[in-house]
Amino acid sequence: DELGNVVDFSNTIIIATSNAHAVWIQEELKKGTNVGALQKSLRDKLTDVYRPELLNRFDEIIVFKTLGSKELEQIAALKLSSLFKRIEKEQAIKFAISQKALKKISELGYDPKNGARPIRRAISKNIKNLIANAVLAQKLEKGGKYIIDFIEEKFVIVKNKT
């Protein structure tokens, strides 16, 4: 550890991710190839990219399916929930998001090559900036409740009447 003590590493799980042969995996999944059979074929195919000595150090290779719109919305909702909690704690302003806005942010934050990674950028660009500008312009009141919605092709902040 950072103090120079020897630590027990025997009960540690290390997860390494890779996009190696991602296109091939997607094609096989579209064909309906069984994931179990795909995992076995993938181990052999990965020797094109990685040395066998490295691959033999891994106990298991797991194939992940492409994220669907439902999963992307769940990821966006989790990230937004975290953002909204922080804003409530720091600014005493409550936010929620409409289903339409959630769907749009998950669409903007999806890239077939990068999966859900761009969601953070989409939230920052479209939601954080919107809220920050409203706070700076003093358009939001402390203790207020607001909903982020997507109306007429843009994100807007609407006062929650409830």
Side-chain angles (χ1 to χ4, degrees):
D1 66 8
E2 72 276 1
L3 300 174
N5 300 316
V6 176
V7 295
D8 181 5
F9 207 63
S10 61
N11 294 317
T12 303
I13 296 173
I14 298 173
I15 299 172
T17 62
S18 170
N19 287 336
H21 293 298
V23 173
W24 176 78
I25 292 169
Q26 287 177 349
E27 289 170 358
E28 291 298 313
L29 289 172
K30 284 179 187 174
K31 289 181 198 174
T33 303
N34 177 299
V35 175
L38 188 59
Q39 283 177 258
K40 289 178 185 172
S41 300
L42 183 59
R43 184 174 276 282
D44 295 332
K45 203 162 177 52
L46 284 173
T47 58
D48 299 349
V49 181
Y50 302 107
R51 296 183 59 95
E53 296 85 5
L54 174 66
L55 292 174
N56 286 333
R57 296 188 184 279
F58 292 100
D59 293 331
E60 202 167 336
I61 294 174
I62 300 170
V63 175
F64 292 96
K65 293 182 181 179
T66 304
L67 297 170
S69 60
K70 182 180 176 183
E71 292 88 3
L72 291 169
E73 286 180 23
Q74 289 173 336
I75 292 167
L78 286 170
K79 292 197 174 295
L80 286 164
S81 174
S82 175
L83 171 66
F84 294 161
K85 283 178 186 173
R86 194 177 85 229
I87 292 171
E88 183 178 359
K89 184 178 177 185
E90 294 172 4
Q91 298 289 326
I93 302 170
K94 286 189 176 194
F95 280 97
I97 190 159
S98 72
Q99 190 60 38
K100 188 175 179 181
L102 181 62
K103 183 177 174 67
K104 187 63 179 179
I105 205 73
S106 65
E107 288 171 7
L108 292 171
Y110 177 69
D111 177 1
K113 291 180 182 174
N114 295 313
R117 288 184 188 100
I119 284 180
R120 185 180 296 121
R121 264 185 307 250
I123 289 172
S124 183
K125 179 180 174 187
N126 296 286
I127 306 297
K128 278 185 180 179
N129 288 349
L130 177 70
I131 293 171
N133 289 334
V135 167
L136 291 172
Q138 298 179 337
K139 293 182 179 179
L140 306 174
E141 41 187 77
K142 297 265 185 205
K145 296 179 182 179
Y146 299 90
I147 297 173
I148 306 289
D149 204 352
F150 190 73
I151 301 171
E152 296 179 7
E153 297 303 310
K154 66 180 181 178
F155 291 95
V156 294
I157 298 174
V158 179
K159 185 150 177 84
N160 191 346
K161 306 277 193 247
T162 60

